[in-house]
Amino acid sequence: MSTSPAEQPTNVEQTKPAPRVVEDEQDIDKSVYKRGQQAKWARSRKAERGDRNNKRQRRDGELPWEERKEQRVLDSDGNPLPSEPRRPKKKVACLIGYCGTGYHGMQLNPPQKTIEGDLFEAFVESGAISRDNSNDLKKSSFMRAARTDKGVHAAGNVISLKMIIEDEDILEKINSKLPPTIRVWGYERTNKNFDCRKMCSSRIYEYLMPTFSFLPPKPNSPLARQIKEANEETPGVTRDDPEGSKWWADVLEKLHASGITDKDIQDAQEATINKEKNNDSDDEPDMLLEEIVRKIKQTENQARREYRISKERLELVNKAMQMYIGHHNFHNFTLGKHFKDASANRYMKEITVSEPFVIEGTEWVSIKIHGQSFMLHQIRKMIAMAALVVRTGCPLGRITEAFQSSRINIPKAPALGLLLEQPVYEGYNTRLKAFGYNELTFTPFEKEMNEFKMKHIYDKIYAEEVKDNTFHGFFGFIDGFNGTPIFNFLTANGIKDSQEVREVVIPNEKNEGIAE
């Protein structure tokens, strides 16, 4: 009787794998009995947990966490203060304003005097932050919306932190501990995950500058000669400037009326150039020539203070600034960015140029730039490029050419006129409403902010410009730059790929700016 294959007996001896022969049982790695890759992951996680404390010890250069845990807040005599009773903290966004004069920027940087240093100290002294948390900003989840650098002001900025807000008078107590150049306008409750920097949808900056900054370069200056030579080689590219030519003719007439001849002006200009080239020269100064130089500077400076911009030139300034609107590659408007670097692409939402206004005899304009985000020195270079295009008469399209791959040297306009107007939270405000919180807006504090700007920010900008002639010094240096023609892109020759690229350093310029 035949059997089916399913009923046939199986040869167990043939199918059973041969046993593994082990010479010494102690040589067996017992991990082979565990569950493959999962066991490896488990061992890896245990190793990471073992190293975690070591990582905590090195965070921010602090003491090991075991020692930090035992560290107590000390009084002025070095004795430990008793621990305060624990009080509930709430996540809030504080709306602040400050004058940056005399401070080494916004961010805490011991032992330098900073805005955050004074703010944090006021929060502790007023009871908004407990003394147990006074030795570390991170204990309060402290964060700023925008970090301004040395000397830069902010009419509105935002910081987020965990704060004790049981006291109804906490805002008044905080401001009473602050100098009058720093104000906390108000605060709003937020959800626990709120980060004022990451949640900020855009920022508005303001730049103040005197209108004489848009006058053409001084006749016979190196830049003026470059413009003239390029016009002769390539006529019909640059704009004529009858208004600027008339202004310089009027200045020359005033110099002649005071007894200064054309030869005196030429000698003074050559002496100034030679002095800049030979700073260490021990030659005896020509006192008569020194007096002529002083008289020329005084006459020209007085004429600048009396200058009032025409509607046509102001409209030209506005058109130049509008060239920045939209999405562009700003690699030429910052440091260390290449054309192919995606982070060099930024979006400008709105730019406005105010009507001119006169302060202490000098006419000014206010330029406000609203953009999603900004890079280091970007705003100052945007302002400088627009002003230089207007001054030199080159086409406004030269600004859009700067968005292309060719590299050019755009100098930084003085930091003096720059201030942060306010961060904007358009997108996140809808989420705050959904969480049952108020919007983050500076609108309720506009009156106080405007008064603060006039008293503590604008007045300091105006006074410093009158004292140091900051803007004339900046544009005068560019006009008189007599080395490699790095500003040739401002002439009829345009932007060339072969131009040398290096950062332009203005003598005696304070290294101030904004890291947006």
PDB file of all heavy atoms in Angstrom, residues 60 62 98 103-122 133-138 142-144 146-149 159:
ATOM      1  N   ASP A  60      27.149  75.467  29.155  1.00  0.00           N
ATOM      2  CA  ASP A  60      27.412  76.878  29.351  1.00  0.00           C
ATOM      3  C   ASP A  60      28.586  77.154  30.276  1.00  0.00           C
ATOM      4  O   ASP A  60      28.684  78.218  30.885  1.00  0.00           O
ATOM      5  CB  ASP A  60      26.166  77.592  29.920  1.00  0.00           C
ATOM      6  CG  ASP A  60      25.017  77.560  28.943  1.00  0.00           C
ATOM      7  OD1 ASP A  60      25.267  77.523  27.724  1.00  0.00           O
ATOM      8  OD2 ASP A  60      23.881  77.559  29.402  1.00  0.00           O
ATOM      9  N   GLU A  62      29.174  75.991  33.176  1.00  0.00           N
ATOM     10  CA  GLU A  62      28.791  76.088  34.574  1.00  0.00           C
ATOM     11  C   GLU A  62      29.431  74.965  35.385  1.00  0.00           C
ATOM     12  O   GLU A  62      30.111  74.077  34.853  1.00  0.00           O
ATOM     13  CB  GLU A  62      27.271  76.018  34.697  1.00  0.00           C
ATOM     14  CG  GLU A  62      26.572  77.197  34.042  1.00  0.00           C
ATOM     15  CD  GLU A  62      25.074  77.045  34.079  1.00  0.00           C
ATOM     16  OE1 GLU A  62      24.598  75.898  34.209  1.00  0.00           O
ATOM     17  OE2 GLU A  62      24.387  78.059  33.970  1.00  0.00           O
ATOM     18  N   TYR A  98      14.179 100.542  24.936  1.00  0.00           N
ATOM     19  CA  TYR A  98      15.415 100.974  25.590  1.00  0.00           C
ATOM     20  C   TYR A  98      16.263 101.824  24.653  1.00  0.00           C
ATOM     21  O   TYR A  98      16.159 101.748  23.431  1.00  0.00           O
ATOM     22  CB  TYR A  98      16.232  99.773  26.077  1.00  0.00           C
ATOM     23  CG  TYR A  98      16.493  98.719  25.036  1.00  0.00           C
ATOM     24  CD1 TYR A  98      17.555  98.807  24.140  1.00  0.00           C
ATOM     25  CD2 TYR A  98      15.654  97.594  24.934  1.00  0.00           C
ATOM     26  CE1 TYR A  98      17.779  97.839  23.185  1.00  0.00           C
ATOM     27  CE2 TYR A  98      15.870  96.616  23.979  1.00  0.00           C
ATOM     28  CZ  TYR A  98      16.936  96.744  23.110  1.00  0.00           C
ATOM     29  OH  TYR A  98      17.162  95.785  22.156  1.00  0.00           O
ATOM     30  N   TYR A 103      25.483 100.971  26.517  1.00  0.00           N
ATOM     31  CA  TYR A 103      25.350  99.538  26.753  1.00  0.00           C
ATOM     32  C   TYR A 103      26.102  98.759  25.674  1.00  0.00           C
ATOM     33  O   TYR A 103      26.180  99.187  24.529  1.00  0.00           O
ATOM     34  CB  TYR A 103      23.876  99.123  26.742  1.00  0.00           C
ATOM     35  CG  TYR A 103      23.109  99.566  27.970  1.00  0.00           C
ATOM     36  CD1 TYR A 103      22.468 100.794  27.997  1.00  0.00           C
ATOM     37  CD2 TYR A 103      23.044  98.753  29.096  1.00  0.00           C
ATOM     38  CE1 TYR A 103      21.754 101.216  29.125  1.00  0.00           C
ATOM     39  CE2 TYR A 103      22.337  99.163  30.225  1.00  0.00           C
ATOM     40  CZ  TYR A 103      21.706 100.391  30.233  1.00  0.00           C
ATOM     41  OH  TYR A 103      21.017 100.802  31.338  1.00  0.00           O
ATOM     42  N   HIS A 104      26.610  97.595  26.063  1.00  0.00           N
ATOM     43  CA  HIS A 104      27.301  96.716  25.119  1.00  0.00           C
ATOM     44  C   HIS A 104      26.317  95.728  24.509  1.00  0.00           C
ATOM     45  O   HIS A 104      26.534  94.518  24.531  1.00  0.00           O
ATOM     46  CB  HIS A 104      28.443  95.976  25.827  1.00  0.00           C
ATOM     47  CG  HIS A 104      29.625  96.841  26.130  1.00  0.00           C
ATOM     48  ND1 HIS A 104      30.778  96.829  25.381  1.00  0.00           N
ATOM     49  CD2 HIS A 104      29.815  97.777  27.086  1.00  0.00           C
ATOM     50  CE1 HIS A 104      31.630  97.710  25.871  1.00  0.00           C
ATOM     51  NE2 HIS A 104      31.074  98.299  26.910  1.00  0.00           N
ATOM     52  N   GLY A 105      25.213  96.244  24.017  1.00  0.00           N
ATOM     53  CA  GLY A 105      24.233  95.405  23.348  1.00  0.00           C
ATOM     54  C   GLY A 105      23.127  94.929  24.268  1.00  0.00           C
ATOM     55  O   GLY A 105      23.076  95.232  25.458  1.00  0.00           O
ATOM     56  N   MET A 106      22.235  94.149  23.682  1.00  0.00           N
ATOM     57  CA  MET A 106      21.067  93.624  24.390  1.00  0.00           C
ATOM     58  C   MET A 106      21.412  92.414  25.236  1.00  0.00           C
ATOM     59  O   MET A 106      21.075  92.334  26.420  1.00  0.00           O
ATOM     60  CB  MET A 106      19.990  93.249  23.348  1.00  0.00           C
ATOM     61  CG  MET A 106      18.829  92.417  23.865  1.00  0.00           C
ATOM     62  SD  MET A 106      17.699  93.353  24.885  1.00  0.00           S
ATOM     63  CE  MET A 106      16.395  92.165  25.169  1.00  0.00           C
ATOM     64  N   GLN A 107      22.113  91.442  24.673  1.00  0.00           N
ATOM     65  CA  GLN A 107      22.283  90.134  25.299  1.00  0.00           C
ATOM     66  C   GLN A 107      23.244  90.172  26.477  1.00  0.00           C
ATOM     67  O   GLN A 107      24.264  90.849  26.445  1.00  0.00           O
ATOM     68  CB  GLN A 107      22.770  89.116  24.264  1.00  0.00           C
ATOM     69  CG  GLN A 107      22.700  87.675  24.732  1.00  0.00           C
ATOM     70  CD  GLN A 107      22.914  86.701  23.591  1.00  0.00           C
ATOM     71  OE1 GLN A 107      23.130  87.100  22.464  1.00  0.00           O
ATOM     72  NE2 GLN A 107      22.841  85.425  23.881  1.00  0.00           N
ATOM     73  N   LEU A 108      22.911  89.424  27.525  1.00  0.00           N
ATOM     74  CA  LEU A 108      23.742  89.334  28.727  1.00  0.00           C
ATOM     75  C   LEU A 108      25.149  88.878  28.356  1.00  0.00           C
ATOM     76  O   LEU A 108      25.331  87.872  27.670  1.00  0.00           O
ATOM     77  CB  LEU A 108      23.113  88.349  29.713  1.00  0.00           C
ATOM     78  CG  LEU A 108      23.722  88.331  31.124  1.00  0.00           C
ATOM     79  CD1 LEU A 108      23.417  89.636  31.842  1.00  0.00           C
ATOM     80  CD2 LEU A 108      23.174  87.152  31.920  1.00  0.00           C
ATOM     81  N   ASN A 109      26.156  89.631  28.835  1.00  0.00           N
ATOM     82  CA  ASN A 109      27.541  89.340  28.483  1.00  0.00           C
ATOM     83  C   ASN A 109      28.464  89.845  29.595  1.00  0.00           C
ATOM     84  O   ASN A 109      29.160  90.846  29.424  1.00  0.00           O
ATOM     85  CB  ASN A 109      27.890  89.998  27.142  1.00  0.00           C
ATOM     86  CG  ASN A 109      29.283  89.660  26.671  1.00  0.00           C
ATOM     87  OD1 ASN A 109      29.831  88.611  27.020  1.00  0.00           O
ATOM     88  ND2 ASN A 109      29.879  90.549  25.892  1.00  0.00           N
ATOM     89  N   PRO A 110      28.466  89.168  30.767  1.00  0.00           N
ATOM     90  CA  PRO A 110      29.304  89.622  31.890  1.00  0.00           C
ATOM     91  C   PRO A 110      30.767  89.691  31.475  1.00  0.00           C
ATOM     92  O   PRO A 110      31.223  88.856  30.676  1.00  0.00           O
ATOM     93  CB  PRO A 110      29.076  88.541  32.951  1.00  0.00           C
ATOM     94  CG  PRO A 110      27.808  87.866  32.561  1.00  0.00           C
ATOM     95  CD  PRO A 110      27.736  87.943  31.082  1.00  0.00           C
ATOM     96  N   PRO A 111      31.526  90.663  31.986  1.00  0.00           N
ATOM     97  CA  PRO A 111      31.127  91.709  32.946  1.00  0.00           C
ATOM     98  C   PRO A 111      30.635  92.979  32.274  1.00  0.00           C
ATOM     99  O   PRO A 111      30.516  94.016  32.932  1.00  0.00           O
ATOM    100  CB  PRO A 111      32.446  91.966  33.679  1.00  0.00           C
ATOM    101  CG  PRO A 111      33.485  91.791  32.622  1.00  0.00           C
ATOM    102  CD  PRO A 111      32.990  90.687  31.725  1.00  0.00           C
ATOM    103  N   GLN A 112      30.334  92.943  30.961  1.00  0.00           N
ATOM    104  CA  GLN A 112      29.908  94.143  30.244  1.00  0.00           C
ATOM    105  C   GLN A 112      28.503  94.561  30.691  1.00  0.00           C
ATOM    106  O   GLN A 112      27.677  93.739  31.091  1.00  0.00           O
ATOM    107  CB  GLN A 112      29.912  93.882  28.735  1.00  0.00           C
ATOM    108  CG  GLN A 112      31.233  93.379  28.172  1.00  0.00           C
ATOM    109  CD  GLN A 112      32.340  94.401  28.273  1.00  0.00           C
ATOM    110  OE1 GLN A 112      32.089  95.575  28.543  1.00  0.00           O
ATOM    111  NE2 GLN A 112      33.574  93.966  28.074  1.00  0.00           N
ATOM    112  N   LYS A 113      28.255  95.859  30.590  1.00  0.00           N
ATOM    113  CA  LYS A 113      26.939  96.407  30.929  1.00  0.00           C
ATOM    114  C   LYS A 113      26.005  96.190  29.746  1.00  0.00           C
ATOM    115  O   LYS A 113      26.264  96.691  28.651  1.00  0.00           O
ATOM    116  CB  LYS A 113      27.066  97.893  31.249  1.00  0.00           C
ATOM    117  CG  LYS A 113      25.764  98.567  31.699  1.00  0.00           C
ATOM    118  CD  LYS A 113      26.038 100.024  32.036  1.00  0.00           C
ATOM    119  CE  LYS A 113      24.758 100.757  32.439  1.00  0.00           C
ATOM    120  NZ  LYS A 113      24.181 100.215  33.685  1.00  0.00           N
ATOM    121  N   THR A 114      24.916  95.447  29.944  1.00  0.00           N
ATOM    122  CA  THR A 114      23.980  95.130  28.866  1.00  0.00           C
ATOM    123  C   THR A 114      22.547  95.412  29.293  1.00  0.00           C
ATOM    124  O   THR A 114      22.255  95.550  30.492  1.00  0.00           O
ATOM    125  CB  THR A 114      24.092  93.646  28.446  1.00  0.00           C
ATOM    126  OG1 THR A 114      23.730  92.818  29.567  1.00  0.00           O
ATOM    127  CG2 THR A 114      25.501  93.306  27.988  1.00  0.00           C
ATOM    128  N   ILE A 115      21.661  95.483  28.316  1.00  0.00           N
ATOM    129  CA  ILE A 115      20.236  95.725  28.584  1.00  0.00           C
ATOM    130  C   ILE A 115      19.664  94.576  29.409  1.00  0.00           C
ATOM    131  O   ILE A 115      18.960  94.792  30.403  1.00  0.00           O
ATOM    132  CB  ILE A 115      19.446  95.889  27.270  1.00  0.00           C
ATOM    133  CG1 ILE A 115      20.008  97.042  26.419  1.00  0.00           C
ATOM    134  CG2 ILE A 115      17.969  96.096  27.558  1.00  0.00           C
ATOM    135  CD1 ILE A 115      19.879  98.405  27.034  1.00  0.00           C
ATOM    136  N   GLU A 116      19.930  93.340  29.007  1.00  0.00           N
ATOM    137  CA  GLU A 116      19.397  92.188  29.734  1.00  0.00           C
ATOM    138  C   GLU A 116      19.902  92.141  31.161  1.00  0.00           C
ATOM    139  O   GLU A 116      19.174  91.709  32.064  1.00  0.00           O
ATOM    140  CB  GLU A 116      19.769  90.895  29.003  1.00  0.00           C
ATOM    141  CG  GLU A 116      18.945  90.644  27.762  1.00  0.00           C
ATOM    142  CD  GLU A 116      19.258  89.311  27.104  1.00  0.00           C
ATOM    143  OE1 GLU A 116      20.129  88.571  27.610  1.00  0.00           O
ATOM    144  OE2 GLU A 116      18.627  89.010  26.077  1.00  0.00           O
ATOM    145  N   GLY A 117      21.151  92.565  31.385  1.00  0.00           N
ATOM    146  CA  GLY A 117      21.685  92.574  32.739  1.00  0.00           C
ATOM    147  C   GLY A 117      20.871  93.467  33.650  1.00  0.00           C
ATOM    148  O   GLY A 117      20.495  93.063  34.769  1.00  0.00           O
ATOM    149  N   ASP A 118      20.566  94.685  33.201  1.00  0.00           N
ATOM    150  CA  ASP A 118      19.760  95.604  34.011  1.00  0.00           C
ATOM    151  C   ASP A 118      18.326  95.109  34.147  1.00  0.00           C
ATOM    152  O   ASP A 118      17.706  95.240  35.214  1.00  0.00           O
ATOM    153  CB  ASP A 118      19.768  96.995  33.378  1.00  0.00           C
ATOM    154  CG  ASP A 118      21.053  97.766  33.687  1.00  0.00           C
ATOM    155  OD1 ASP A 118      21.989  97.149  34.246  1.00  0.00           O
ATOM    156  OD2 ASP A 118      21.125  98.962  33.363  1.00  0.00           O
ATOM    157  N   LEU A 119      17.780  94.538  33.065  1.00  0.00           N
ATOM    158  CA  LEU A 119      16.408  94.017  33.131  1.00  0.00           C
ATOM    159  C   LEU A 119      16.292  92.882  34.137  1.00  0.00           C
ATOM    160  O   LEU A 119      15.384  92.872  34.990  1.00  0.00           O
ATOM    161  CB  LEU A 119      15.980  93.515  31.745  1.00  0.00           C
ATOM    162  CG  LEU A 119      15.381  94.522  30.769  1.00  0.00           C
ATOM    163  CD1 LEU A 119      15.218  93.883  29.396  1.00  0.00           C
ATOM    164  CD2 LEU A 119      14.036  95.040  31.268  1.00  0.00           C
ATOM    165  N   PHE A 120      17.203  91.924  34.051  1.00  0.00           N
ATOM    166  CA  PHE A 120      17.138  90.749  34.914  1.00  0.00           C
ATOM    167  C   PHE A 120      17.293  91.154  36.385  1.00  0.00           C
ATOM    168  O   PHE A 120      16.599  90.627  37.269  1.00  0.00           O
ATOM    169  CB  PHE A 120      18.232  89.754  34.518  1.00  0.00           C
ATOM    170  CG  PHE A 120      18.015  88.366  35.043  1.00  0.00           C
ATOM    171  CD1 PHE A 120      16.892  87.646  34.697  1.00  0.00           C
ATOM    172  CD2 PHE A 120      18.935  87.770  35.889  1.00  0.00           C
ATOM    173  CE1 PHE A 120      16.681  86.368  35.165  1.00  0.00           C
ATOM    174  CE2 PHE A 120      18.737  86.495  36.370  1.00  0.00           C
ATOM    175  CZ  PHE A 120      17.611  85.795  36.010  1.00  0.00           C
ATOM    176  N   GLU A 121      18.196  92.103  36.628  1.00  0.00           N
ATOM    177  CA  GLU A 121      18.385  92.579  38.002  1.00  0.00           C
ATOM    178  C   GLU A 121      17.118  93.239  38.536  1.00  0.00           C
ATOM    179  O   GLU A 121      16.739  93.039  39.690  1.00  0.00           O
ATOM    180  CB  GLU A 121      19.552  93.568  38.034  1.00  0.00           C
ATOM    181  CG  GLU A 121      19.907  94.050  39.420  1.00  0.00           C
ATOM    182  CD  GLU A 121      21.109  94.981  39.418  1.00  0.00           C
ATOM    183  OE1 GLU A 121      21.863  94.980  38.416  1.00  0.00           O
ATOM    184  OE2 GLU A 121      21.293  95.705  40.416  1.00  0.00           O
ATOM    185  N   ALA A 122      16.425  94.019  37.666  1.00  0.00           N
ATOM    186  CA  ALA A 122      15.178  94.666  38.084  1.00  0.00           C
ATOM    187  C   ALA A 122      14.082  93.640  38.345  1.00  0.00           C
ATOM    188  O   ALA A 122      13.282  93.783  39.284  1.00  0.00           O
ATOM    189  CB  ALA A 122      14.732  95.657  37.007  1.00  0.00           C
ATOM    190  N   ASN A 133      16.405  81.779  41.586  1.00  0.00           N
ATOM    191  CA  ASN A 133      16.611  81.662  40.138  1.00  0.00           C
ATOM    192  C   ASN A 133      17.402  82.837  39.562  1.00  0.00           C
ATOM    193  O   ASN A 133      17.472  82.999  38.346  1.00  0.00           O
ATOM    194  CB  ASN A 133      15.261  81.581  39.415  1.00  0.00           C
ATOM    195  CG  ASN A 133      14.518  80.304  39.740  1.00  0.00           C
ATOM    196  OD1 ASN A 133      15.121  79.311  40.129  1.00  0.00           O
ATOM    197  ND2 ASN A 133      13.200  80.338  39.607  1.00  0.00           N
ATOM    198  N   SER A 134      18.007  83.648  40.426  1.00  0.00           N
ATOM    199  CA  SER A 134      18.652  84.881  39.976  1.00  0.00           C
ATOM    200  C   SER A 134      20.043  84.668  39.421  1.00  0.00           C
ATOM    201  O   SER A 134      20.655  85.613  38.915  1.00  0.00           O
ATOM    202  CB  SER A 134      18.720  85.881  41.139  1.00  0.00           C
ATOM    203  OG  SER A 134      19.548  85.381  42.179  1.00  0.00           O
ATOM    204  N   ASN A 135      20.581  83.445  39.527  1.00  0.00           N
ATOM    205  CA  ASN A 135      21.948  83.210  39.043  1.00  0.00           C
ATOM    206  C   ASN A 135      21.997  82.568  37.667  1.00  0.00           C
ATOM    207  O   ASN A 135      23.062  82.201  37.197  1.00  0.00           O
ATOM    208  CB  ASN A 135      22.728  82.344  40.046  1.00  0.00           C
ATOM    209  CG  ASN A 135      22.049  81.011  40.300  1.00  0.00           C
ATOM    210  OD1 ASN A 135      20.958  80.763  39.791  1.00  0.00           O
ATOM    211  ND2 ASN A 135      22.681  80.168  41.092  1.00  0.00           N
ATOM    212  N   ASP A 136      20.841  82.439  37.004  1.00  0.00           N
ATOM    213  CA  ASP A 136      20.839  81.793  35.696  1.00  0.00           C
ATOM    214  C   ASP A 136      19.575  82.187  34.930  1.00  0.00           C
ATOM    215  O   ASP A 136      18.452  81.923  35.372  1.00  0.00           O
ATOM    216  CB  ASP A 136      20.891  80.267  35.856  1.00  0.00           C
ATOM    217  CG  ASP A 136      21.109  79.555  34.529  1.00  0.00           C
ATOM    218  OD1 ASP A 136      21.155  80.243  33.494  1.00  0.00           O
ATOM    219  OD2 ASP A 136      21.236  78.324  34.534  1.00  0.00           O
ATOM    220  N   LEU A 137      19.754  82.824  33.762  1.00  0.00           N
ATOM    221  CA  LEU A 137      18.613  83.227  32.939  1.00  0.00           C
ATOM    222  C   LEU A 137      17.780  82.038  32.480  1.00  0.00           C
ATOM    223  O   LEU A 137      16.564  82.135  32.330  1.00  0.00           O
ATOM    224  CB  LEU A 137      19.104  83.993  31.703  1.00  0.00           C
ATOM    225  CG  LEU A 137      19.585  85.440  31.886  1.00  0.00           C
ATOM    226  CD1 LEU A 137      20.170  85.952  30.587  1.00  0.00           C
ATOM    227  CD2 LEU A 137      18.456  86.331  32.334  1.00  0.00           C
ATOM    228  N   LYS A 138      18.447  80.902  32.255  1.00  0.00           N
ATOM    229  CA  LYS A 138      17.739  79.746  31.711  1.00  0.00           C
ATOM    230  C   LYS A 138      16.717  79.173  32.688  1.00  0.00           C
ATOM    231  O   LYS A 138      15.766  78.513  32.284  1.00  0.00           O
ATOM    232  CB  LYS A 138      18.737  78.668  31.305  1.00  0.00           C
ATOM    233  CG  LYS A 138      19.586  79.054  30.104  1.00  0.00           C
ATOM    234  CD  LYS A 138      20.492  77.922  29.666  1.00  0.00           C
ATOM    235  CE  LYS A 138      21.291  78.308  28.435  1.00  0.00           C
ATOM    236  NZ  LYS A 138      22.206  77.225  28.002  1.00  0.00           N
ATOM    237  N   PHE A 142      14.397  82.494  29.784  1.00  0.00           N
ATOM    238  CA  PHE A 142      14.525  83.850  29.243  1.00  0.00           C
ATOM    239  C   PHE A 142      14.939  83.807  27.771  1.00  0.00           C
ATOM    240  O   PHE A 142      15.855  83.095  27.398  1.00  0.00           O
ATOM    241  CB  PHE A 142      15.575  84.619  30.062  1.00  0.00           C
ATOM    242  CG  PHE A 142      15.565  86.101  29.846  1.00  0.00           C
ATOM    243  CD1 PHE A 142      14.916  86.944  30.731  1.00  0.00           C
ATOM    244  CD2 PHE A 142      16.222  86.663  28.763  1.00  0.00           C
ATOM    245  CE1 PHE A 142      14.926  88.316  30.534  1.00  0.00           C
ATOM    246  CE2 PHE A 142      16.232  88.030  28.561  1.00  0.00           C
ATOM    247  CZ  PHE A 142      15.581  88.861  29.456  1.00  0.00           C
ATOM    248  N   MET A 143      14.248  84.602  26.920  1.00  0.00           N
ATOM    249  CA  MET A 143      14.576  84.672  25.504  1.00  0.00           C
ATOM    250  C   MET A 143      14.189  86.052  24.985  1.00  0.00           C
ATOM    251  O   MET A 143      13.241  86.661  25.479  1.00  0.00           O
ATOM    252  CB  MET A 143      13.835  83.589  24.713  1.00  0.00           C
ATOM    253  CG  MET A 143      14.129  83.589  23.222  1.00  0.00           C
ATOM    254  SD  MET A 143      15.886  83.462  22.806  1.00  0.00           S
ATOM    255  CE  MET A 143      16.243  81.811  23.444  1.00  0.00           C
ATOM    256  N   ARG A 144      14.962  86.562  23.982  1.00  0.00           N
ATOM    257  CA  ARG A 144      14.647  87.861  23.402  1.00  0.00           C
ATOM    258  C   ARG A 144      14.234  87.680  21.931  1.00  0.00           C
ATOM    259  O   ARG A 144      14.701  86.764  21.246  1.00  0.00           O
ATOM    260  CB  ARG A 144      15.823  88.826  23.525  1.00  0.00           C
ATOM    261  CG  ARG A 144      16.918  88.754  22.491  1.00  0.00           C
ATOM    262  CD  ARG A 144      17.817  87.573  22.634  1.00  0.00           C
ATOM    263  NE  ARG A 144      18.420  87.488  23.937  1.00  0.00           N
ATOM    264  CZ  ARG A 144      19.034  86.394  24.351  1.00  0.00           C
ATOM    265  NH1 ARG A 144      19.087  85.321  23.565  1.00  0.00           N
ATOM    266  NH2 ARG A 144      19.578  86.344  25.540  1.00  0.00           N
ATOM    267  N   ALA A 146      14.707  89.945  19.416  1.00  0.00           N
ATOM    268  CA  ALA A 146      15.758  90.453  18.530  1.00  0.00           C
ATOM    269  C   ALA A 146      16.937  90.879  19.380  1.00  0.00           C
ATOM    270  O   ALA A 146      16.757  91.552  20.400  1.00  0.00           O
ATOM    271  CB  ALA A 146      15.251  91.620  17.694  1.00  0.00           C
ATOM    272  N   ARG A 147      18.135  90.492  18.971  1.00  0.00           N
ATOM    273  CA  ARG A 147      19.349  90.842  19.711  1.00  0.00           C
ATOM    274  C   ARG A 147      19.997  92.050  19.041  1.00  0.00           C
ATOM    275  O   ARG A 147      20.528  91.955  17.945  1.00  0.00           O
ATOM    276  CB  ARG A 147      20.324  89.664  19.730  1.00  0.00           C
ATOM    277  CG  ARG A 147      21.621  89.957  20.482  1.00  0.00           C
ATOM    278  CD  ARG A 147      22.562  88.782  20.387  1.00  0.00           C
ATOM    279  NE  ARG A 147      22.992  88.537  19.025  1.00  0.00           N
ATOM    280  CZ  ARG A 147      23.991  89.180  18.425  1.00  0.00           C
ATOM    281  NH1 ARG A 147      24.642  90.131  19.065  1.00  0.00           N
ATOM    282  NH2 ARG A 147      24.326  88.884  17.187  1.00  0.00           N
ATOM    283  N   THR A 148      19.944  93.184  19.706  1.00  0.00           N
ATOM    284  CA  THR A 148      20.582  94.385  19.176  1.00  0.00           C
ATOM    285  C   THR A 148      22.009  94.481  19.710  1.00  0.00           C
ATOM    286  O   THR A 148      22.295  94.061  20.829  1.00  0.00           O
ATOM    287  CB  THR A 148      19.798  95.644  19.572  1.00  0.00           C
ATOM    288  OG1 THR A 148      19.626  95.676  20.992  1.00  0.00           O
ATOM    289  CG2 THR A 148      18.435  95.653  18.916  1.00  0.00           C
ATOM    290  N   ASP A 149      22.890  95.051  18.893  1.00  0.00           N
ATOM    291  CA  ASP A 149      24.298  95.151  19.256  1.00  0.00           C
ATOM    292  C   ASP A 149      24.593  96.456  19.967  1.00  0.00           C
ATOM    293  O   ASP A 149      23.697  97.263  20.225  1.00  0.00           O
ATOM    294  CB  ASP A 149      25.167  95.001  18.007  1.00  0.00           C
ATOM    295  CG  ASP A 149      25.231  93.564  17.515  1.00  0.00           C
ATOM    296  OD1 ASP A 149      24.888  92.662  18.301  1.00  0.00           O
ATOM    297  OD2 ASP A 149      25.602  93.352  16.351  1.00  0.00           O
ATOM    298  N   ILE A 159      10.645  90.208  25.164  1.00  0.00           N
ATOM    299  CA  ILE A 159      11.337  89.109  25.837  1.00  0.00           C
ATOM    300  C   ILE A 159      10.278  88.168  26.399  1.00  0.00           C
ATOM    301  O   ILE A 159       9.205  88.602  26.799  1.00  0.00           O
ATOM    302  CB  ILE A 159      12.267  89.597  26.963  1.00  0.00           C
ATOM    303  CG1 ILE A 159      11.478  90.402  28.007  1.00  0.00           C
ATOM    304  CG2 ILE A 159      13.413  90.427  26.407  1.00  0.00           C
ATOM    305  CD1 ILE A 159      12.293  90.791  29.226  1.00  0.00           C
TER     306      ILE A 159
END
